């Protein structure tokens, strides 16, 4: 079945904005997965041998560390998107 | 003054406060009834999201669940906050840009189908009722213990307060009330946590005391000595596969919660939606970083107070006898030696303790001042009521906006819609009161079902609606139905003993995945089915594709925004 051509109403600059957005979200979600489900679950057994202050590293990630990383992810998304909005504004008014 | 009197005074004071705020911000038009007129400041909206999000489960149950699951309690800590990341990054900004009233609105418009709208509205109503029943159980526990009233009376008082300002104020009234409730919730959670942390570790910051002190390590050792599982070691209560699946199911299920998503419609623009999310996660994390400390400290105190002590002495302790009368704490001297044998999970265990009383009893176990005990009760009520009111609004808008206005009566006037909105809110209130007074015997299972169904139905469809332009009506409906049916059937089979009353569970698990985690499989099925079906059926109409493109375009291209930005840069 042939793939018909899609409607494309975003102009070049809008497309650039959307692609940047997707790239950034993907990066953040990779960190989200590695820290939360990786460090807290998949690699919990080996990391349980690593001491972290009074507890083990995996215990800390599972109970507190992952949540701290989650805050940073959402914060960096808001900051980065503000910057992207500004870059887009400048790009749009270049010519 | 007794604890009960102080509790009544504090509860009355906060209820008066919430009611006053509901009155002050009452509304008259439909738009403010559903989404607060989109003029709520970012920080207030963040606090309201946090209060909406943190239900009786977060305040009353979570630390107790963590105390008994140990390491594996991460499924709740990480599952609920991790889901918030998905919501903030993948759903909230785009749904705000789309700019409609409700989740079924997005699904119905994006998939140009009233069937999709109806399915989404029904899922919304089901998830909301399930959640409200959980909140009502929280209200019931608090009232029955601290106000010494009958559960029925307690639930009715709670419903009257929620109903009063929800009917009066709609979403706007609720937003300001919830922002206030957040501060009641967090103060009520932090003060006893700080006190107990000081007492046990000498460190006034419970979040840090969890790792810097040796309490967790000592708790691990004590638990092993008593015959329980090791507190700090992973996968002693749940397998790795189940921890992974349940965490993921809670994440996806939480991200699809309609009453939280709708919050992001109440901000000015997309940028404000992103920053509301930042504030909300900070507010939420304040409680979620404290909960594991409360769980570990409370468990440590509890074991030291009752384990291996003479049963008669234990039963003489005031808080023990009061909780015993509620039936949430029970002793049974199996071996007849007069000593309390506390070994959760082993056959010799003589203590049956409801996990929901851990947080509420913490200040009493630690011998803290009566006003702190009253404060915790007030906070538990605030958590339950703030979530219940958000759910009521979501449920009534699914009925009045998505079903009545969009499907049955497209010519309905603003007045009529508002009337139907309030009427359905009233009906929802009555159902919630009924469920609160007669909670279903399988409340825990129903909650698992709600998260699983959310993960398998709403979450994938909203996600694909934004990120897959080629996704069409046929794909979305086939995806929702296959995800829903698979999850519903599998959970029913696993929990057949409580749901159908069979002797044995029809299946033990789905290839090792238990009922709480099986929603993830439903979600994967939803993704696969909707992909295959959409690629073999006609692509969505041109105006829908343009709609999606518009959601993706920078907000700045909206004309009023452009003007503001130009002015700013000059």
């Amino acid at each position: 079945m042939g793939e018909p051509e899609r409607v494309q109403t975003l102009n070049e600059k809008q497309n650039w904005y959307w692609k940047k957005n997707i790239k950034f979200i993907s990066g953040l979600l990779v960190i989200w997965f590695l820290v939360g489900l990786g460090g807290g679950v998949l690699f919990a057994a080996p990391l349980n041998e690593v001491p972290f202050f009074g507890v083990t590293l995996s215990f800390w990630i599972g109970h507190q560390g992952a949540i701290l990383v989650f805050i940073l992810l959402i914060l960096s998304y808001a900051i980065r998107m503000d910057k992207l909005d500004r870059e887009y504004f400048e790009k749009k008014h270049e010519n | 003054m007794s604890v009960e009197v102080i509790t009544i005074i504090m509860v009355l004071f906060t209820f008066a406060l919430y009611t006053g705020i509901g009155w002050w911000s009452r509304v008259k038009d439909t738009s403010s009834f559903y989404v607060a007129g989109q003029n709520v400041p970012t920080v207030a909206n963040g606090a309201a999201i946090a209060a909406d999000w943190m239900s009786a489960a977060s305040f009353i149950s979570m630390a107790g669940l963590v105390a008994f699951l140990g390491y594996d309690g991460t499924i709740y800590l990480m599952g609920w906050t991790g889901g918030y990341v998905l919501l903030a990054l993948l759903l909230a900004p785009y749904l705000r840009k789309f700019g409609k009233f409700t989740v079924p609105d997005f699904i119905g418009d994006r998939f140009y189908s009233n069937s999709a709208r109806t399915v989404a509205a029904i899922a919304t109503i089901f998830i909301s009722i399930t959640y409200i029943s959980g909140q009502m159980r929280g209200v019931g526990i608090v009232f029955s213990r601290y106000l010494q009233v009958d559960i029925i009376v307690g639930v009715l008082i709670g419903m009257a307060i929620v109903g009063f300002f929800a009917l009066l104020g709609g979403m706007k009234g609720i937003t300001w009330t919830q922002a206030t409730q957040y501060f009641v919730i967090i103060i009520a959670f932090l003060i006893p946590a700080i006190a107990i942390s000081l007492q046990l570790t000498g460190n006034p910051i419970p979040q840090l005391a969890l790792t810097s002190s040796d309490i967790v390590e000592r708790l691990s050792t004590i638990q092993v000595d008593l015959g329980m599982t090791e507190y700090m070691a992973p996968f002693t209560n749940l397998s790795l596969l189940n921890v992974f699946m349940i965490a993921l199911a809670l994440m996806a299920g939480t991200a699809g919660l309609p009453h939280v998503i709708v919050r992001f419609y109440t901000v000015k623009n997309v940028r404000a939606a992103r920053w509301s999310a930042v504030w909300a996660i900070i507010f939420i994390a304040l409680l979620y970083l404290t909960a594991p400390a409360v769980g570990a400290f409370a468990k440590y105190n509890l074991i030291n107070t009752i384990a291996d002590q003479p049963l008669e002495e234990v039963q003489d302790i005031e808080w023990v006898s009061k909780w015993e009368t509620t039936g949430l704490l029970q002793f049974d001297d199996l071996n007849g030696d007069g000593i309390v044998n506390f070994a959760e999970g082993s056959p010799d265990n003589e203590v049956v303790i409801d996990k929901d009383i851990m947080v509420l009893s913490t200040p009493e176990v630690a011998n803290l001042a009566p006003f702190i005990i009253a404060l915790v009760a007030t906070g538990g009520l605030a958590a339950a009521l703030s979530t219940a009111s958000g759910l009521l609004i979501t449920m009534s808008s699914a009925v009045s906006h998505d079903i009545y206005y969009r499907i049955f009566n497209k010519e309905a006037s603003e007045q009529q819609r508002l009337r139907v909105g309030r009427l359905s809110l009233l009906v929802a209130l009555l159902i919630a009161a009924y469920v609160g007074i007669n909670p279903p015997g399988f409340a825990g299972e129903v909650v698992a079902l709600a998260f699983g169904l959310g993960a398998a139905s709403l979450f994938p469809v909203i996600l694909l609606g934004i990120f897959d332009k080629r996704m069409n009506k046929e794909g979305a409906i086939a995806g929702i139905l296959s995800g829903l049916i698979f999850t519903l059937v599998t959970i029913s089979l696993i929990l057949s003993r409580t749901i159908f009353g069979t002797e044995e569970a029809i299946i033990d698990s789905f290839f090792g995945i238990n009922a709480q985690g099986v929603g993830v499989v439903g979600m994967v099925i939803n993704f696969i089915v909707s992909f295959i079906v959409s690629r073999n059926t006609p692509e969505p109409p041109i105006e829908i594709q343009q709609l999606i493109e518009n959601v993706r375009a920078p907000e700045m291209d909206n004309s009023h925004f452009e003007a503001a930005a130009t002015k700013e840069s000059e």
Side-chain angles (χ1 to χ4, degrees), chain A residues 1-19:
Chain A
M1 194 174 151
E3 197 83 330
E5 202 172 315
R6 308 273 167 72
V7 177
Q8 176 64 269
T9 52
L10 291 186
N11 62 35
E12 197 190 314
K13 283 163 191 165
Q14 288 172 321
N15 237 340
W16 168 86
Y17 179 91
W18 176 248
K19 291 223 168 85

Side-chain angles (χ1 to χ4, degrees), chain B residues 14-15 17-19 21 47-48 50-52 54 161-162 165 173-188 378-379 381-390:
Chain B
T14 49
F15 276 19
L17 186 68
Y18 308 150
T19 313
I21 290 168
D52 207 344
M54 293 191 296
I161 296 290
V162 176
F165 63 77
I174 279 187
T175 302
W176 284 106
T177 312
Q178 283 178 334
T180 316
Q181 281 163 334
Y182 172 76
F183 291 96
V184 175
I185 294 170
I186 201 66
I187 291 169
T378 315
L381 285 178
L385 295 180
S386 62
T387 306
S389 52

Side-chain angles (χ1 to χ4, degrees), chain B residues 213-263:
Chain B
S213 73
D214 60 349
I215 293 291
V216 175
E217 214 184 326
R218 272 155 62 191
L219 181 58
S220 273
T221 318
I222 299 172
Q223 291 211 155
V224 173
D225 290 348
L226 286 173
M228 301 186 208
T229 56
E230 190 186 342
Y231 194 81
M232 214 195 309
F235 317 130
T236 56
N237 292 294
L238 291 164
S239 66
L240 187 150
L241 177 68
N242 270 321
V243 171
F244 186 89
M245 286 298 187
I246 297 172
L248 202 53
L250 292 181
M251 287 174 178
T254 319
L257 286 181
H259 72 288
V260 180
I261 292 177
V262 78
R263 280 263 157 244

Side-chain angles (χ1 to χ4, degrees), chain A residues 1 3-11 13-14 17-18 21-22 25 28-29 32-33 35-45 48 52-56 58-68 70-71 73-75 77-79 81-82 85-86 88-89 92-93, chain B residues 66 70-71 73-74 77-78 81-82 84-86 88-90 93-94 207 210-211 213 216-217 231-235 240 243-244 247-248 251 271 274-275 277-278 281-282 285 288-289 292 466-467 469-470 535-536 539 542 545-546 549 552-554 556-557 562 565-566 569:
Chain A
M1 194 174 151
E3 197 83 330
E5 202 172 315
R6 308 273 167 72
V7 177
Q8 176 64 269
T9 52
L10 291 186
N11 62 35
K13 283 163 191 165
Q14 288 172 321
Y17 179 91
W18 176 248
N21 178 33
I22 292 288
I25 294 175
L28 293 175
L29 287 178
W32 167 82
F33 186 86
V35 173
L37 294 169
V41 185
L42 296 176
F43 314 122
N48 200 41
F52 182 87
F53 297 97
V55 295
T56 65
S58 59
F59 179 86
W60 181 72
I61 293 175
H63 279 213
Q64 286 186 323
I67 300 175
L68 290 170
F70 294 160
I71 301 178
L73 293 179
I74 296 174
L75 179 67
Y77 179 66
I79 294 174
M81 288 308 284
D82 274 1
D85 276 345
R86 268 200 309 281
Y88 175 77
F89 181 79
K92 193 176 169 187
H93 292 269
Chain B
V66 172
Y71 184 103
T74 185
L77 295 163
M78 216 158 67
T81 50
Y84 188 81
V85 175
L86 296 179
L89 264 48
L90 295 175
Y94 314 102
Q207 296 90 335
L210 176 72
T211 44
S213 73
V216 175
E217 214 184 326
Y231 194 81
M232 214 195 309
F235 317 130
L240 187 150
V243 171
F244 186 89
L248 202 53
M251 287 174 178
R271 182 169 182 268
R274 295 195 296 256
W275 283 100
V278 174
I281 186 76
I282 291 173
Y288 272 70
L289 292 172
I466 298 164
F467 291 93
K469 203 164 78 177
R470 180 67 178 77
R535 288 336 188 245
N536 290 294
E539 62 178 62
I542 289 174
Q545 298 193 35
Q546 280 169 344
E549 297 262 281
R552 296 174 173 191
M556 218 166 263
D557 293 339
E562 169 81 355
T566 315
S569 72

Side-chain angles (χ1 to χ4, degrees), chain B residues 329-529:
Chain B
L329 176 63
Q330 287 163 22
F331 297 94
D332 184 9
D333 193 8
L334 292 174
N335 55 10
D337 63 356
I339 302 288
V340 177
N341 196 358
F342 189 18
E344 178 89 14
S346 110
D348 302 330
N349 182 39
E350 299 174 351
V351 184
V352 180
I353 181 165
D354 190 299
K355 286 148 197 76
D356 284 348
I357 72 174
M358 285 299 278
V359 167
L360 293 172
S361 66
T362 295
E364 292 171 293
V365 179
N367 285 316
L368 301 180
F371 96 89
I372 296 185
I373 300 169
L375 187 62
V376 172
T378 315
L381 285 178
L385 295 180
S386 62
T387 306
S389 52
L391 288 165
L392 281 173
I393 290 278
T394 307
M395 194 160 129
S396 80
S397 60
V399 175
S400 69
H401 182 82
D402 300 312
I403 295 180
Y404 170 70
Y405 173 55
R406 297 301 302 262
I407 296 176
F408 286 111
N409 186 0
K410 292 196 175 83
E411 266 89 55
S413 69
E414 185 135 303
Q415 281 297 319
Q416 278 176 309
R417 278 147 63 194
L418 205 55
R419 204 174 309 135
V420 173
R422 289 191 166 141
L423 191 69
S424 52
L425 199 146
L426 210 59
V427 172
L429 204 61
L430 292 176
I431 296 174
Y434 178 81
V435 176
I437 293 165
N438 307 295
F442 42 91
E445 283 81 1
V446 176
V447 171
L449 195 61
F451 272 104
L453 294 183
S457 62
L458 294 182
F459 177 70
V461 172
I462 303 173
L463 193 70
L464 291 172
I466 298 164
F467 291 93
D468 182 14
K469 203 164 78 177
R470 180 67 178 77
M471 185 50 59
N472 58 11
K473 171 169 85 178
E474 292 82 358
I477 294 175
I480 299 185
L481 288 180
S482 53
L484 267 183
I485 292 170
F486 170 83
T487 312
L488 204 59
V489 169
T490 318
I491 293 183
S492 307
L493 292 180
I494 297 177
L495 301 175
S496 62
R497 272 179 307 180
T498 40
I499 295 177
F500 303 122
T502 58
E503 285 283 307
E504 291 293 318
I506 297 175
I507 51 171
D508 276 339
S509 65
F510 183 78
F511 297 104
I513 304 168
N514 72 18
Q516 273 185 294
V518 87
V520 174
V521 183
M523 177 172 80
V524 173
I525 291 176
N526 185 337
F527 278 126
I528 294 172
V529 168

